[in-house]
Amino acid sequence: MSINEDDLQFIFEAEKAETSPSEEELDFLEQRARIEADTLPLLSIDQYEEQYALFCQYGLEEEMLQRTEPHIRYLSRFEPGELLASSFYKQFRNKKIVRQYVKENIDLVED
């Protein structure tokens, strides 16, 4: 037995609604797309930290963190002291990508 749209409407007592995004939603989506397009494909940890609030406002924090991955990897391998002393590390050390590279490349003494 297959369930069709009418069955779903009956089961959930729902009606199909025709909706379109509001002007506010369209503006939000346009601004989000503009931020994605204007942000460099590779971000430094400083650039990410500076723009973090904006990224969060538009739900881009994880996507943009991926763009910092090469810089995090480089610092963890070749400049570990700089990474560990950075305000970026202090703020984002619990992010998976940061933890991963610190664990792989930096020997931390844990109490």
Side-chain angles (χ1 to χ4, degrees):
M1 177 173 131
S2 65
I3 297 177
N4 60 33
E5 188 175 326
D6 292 331
D7 296 331
L8 291 173
Q9 286 178 346
F10 176 76
I11 292 169
F12 294 105
E13 298 176 4
E15 294 183 24
K16 187 175 181 180
E18 296 295 327
T19 61
S20 59
S22 68
E23 187 68 32
E24 186 177 297
E25 291 170 322
L26 289 174
D27 289 342
F28 176 88
L29 293 173
E30 287 175 10
Q31 181 64 17
R32 186 179 196 277
R34 191 174 9 257
I35 292 167
E36 286 179 291
D38 291 348
T39 303
L40 298 172
L42 298 175
L43 288 174
S44 72
I45 61 173
D46 296 330
Q47 291 168 322
Y48 181 82
E49 189 175 17
E50 290 168 6
Q51 297 182 15
Y52 181 71
L54 180 66
F55 296 155
C56 287
Q57 183 179 353
Y58 289 94
L60 294 168
E61 61 272 18
E62 291 301 320
E63 180 181 333
M64 295 300 150
L65 185 60
Q66 292 298 318
R67 294 184 185 191
T68 66
E69 186 265 343
H71 194 218
I72 297 167
R73 181 181 46 208
Y74 171 82
L75 289 174
S76 71
R77 289 181 183 166
F78 303 109
E79 303 289 340
E82 183 180 333
L83 176 62
L84 296 176
S86 70
S87 58
F88 171 87
Y89 178 74
K90 289 173 180 62
Q91 185 173 356
F92 303 106
R93 68 177 167 249
N94 291 325
K95 295 287 188 178
K96 181 180 177 182
I97 195 168
V98 176
R99 285 192 329 260
Q100 172 190 341
Y101 283 111
V102 167
K103 183 178 178 181
E104 287 177 9
N105 298 310
I106 303 174
D107 291 328
L108 294 178
V109 176
E110 297 191 24
D111 298 328

